[in-house]
């Protein structure tokens, strides 16, 4: 499994794009999607909601379990992926592309986000 080099990663298995005009895209990693199994339901944060780095902001339900979704940064939600709400399997089939979860106007980015190499070491996956 390959973690895109341009992304940052949280220890809770979310990825974060580099902010463009202060807005970053957030999703879960392929590692997390594989661990969850087939995602059948996604509860994503609403537009305008405030999120705090490391705190719960939604959940993903799979055929195996329900997993909390954590925000890797603090900020305000500017968009959520309606395609994932309509077809949660996108989280499994395209976690780094069409399976993104939400976009956030970043107010604060924590210092403990990981590079692709650091995340691969955390998950013991090939990079």
């Amino acid at each position: 499994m390959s973690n895109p080099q341009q992304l940052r990663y949280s220890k809770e298995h979310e990825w974060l794009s580099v902010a463009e005009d202060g807005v970053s895209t957030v999703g879960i990693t392929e590692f997390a999607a594989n661990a969850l199994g087939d995602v059948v339901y996604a509860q994503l944060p609403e537009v305008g909601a405030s999120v705090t780095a490391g705190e719960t902001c939604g959940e993903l339900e799979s055929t195996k379990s329900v997993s909390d979704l954590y925000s890797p940064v603090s900020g305000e939600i500017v968009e959520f992926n309606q395609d994932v709400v309509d077809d949660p399997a996108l989280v499994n089939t395209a976690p780094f592309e069409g399976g993104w979860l939400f976009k956030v106007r970043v107010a604060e980015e924590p210092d403990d986000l990981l590079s692709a190499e650091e995340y691969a070491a955390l998950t013991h996956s090939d990079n």
Side-chain angles (χ1 to χ4, degrees), residues 29-84:
T29 65
E30 185 176 4
F31 176 88
N34 289 339
L36 270 173
D38 296 332
V39 177
V40 296
Y41 174 76
Q43 177 194 347
L44 304 179
E46 295 291 327
V47 172
S50 292
V51 292
T52 302
E55 292 192 7
T56 304
C57 64
E59 67 181 29
L60 296 174
E61 183 177 330
S62 73
T63 54
K64 292 182 181 179
S65 66
V66 176
S67 179
D68 286 334
L69 176 63
Y70 297 91
S71 180
V73 295
S74 297
E76 180 183 342
I77 301 300
V78 297
E79 183 180 352
F80 65 89
N81 190 345
Q82 185 64 49
D83 291 342
V84 165

Side-chain angles (χ1 to χ4, degrees), residues 91-102:
V91 171
N92 298 106
T93 59
F96 295 113
E97 294 90 25
W100 62 273
L101 301 176
F102 60 88

Side-chain angles (χ1 to χ4, degrees), residues 55 87 95 118:
E55 292 192 7
D87 182 10
E118 292 166 330

Side-chain angles (χ1 to χ4, degrees), residues 4-59:
Q5 295 291 317
Q6 74 277 15
L7 301 177
R8 303 291 305 271
Y9 299 87
S10 74
K11 292 176 183 171
E12 289 79 26
H13 309 289
E14 282 82 25
W15 58 261
L16 176 77
S17 70
V18 174
E20 294 181 28
D21 296 326
V23 175
S24 288
T25 303
V26 175
I28 66 165
T29 65
E30 185 176 4
F31 176 88
N34 289 339
L36 270 173
D38 296 332
V39 177
V40 296
Y41 174 76
Q43 177 194 347
L44 304 179
E46 295 291 327
V47 172
S50 292
V51 292
T52 302
E55 292 192 7
T56 304
C57 64
E59 67 181 29

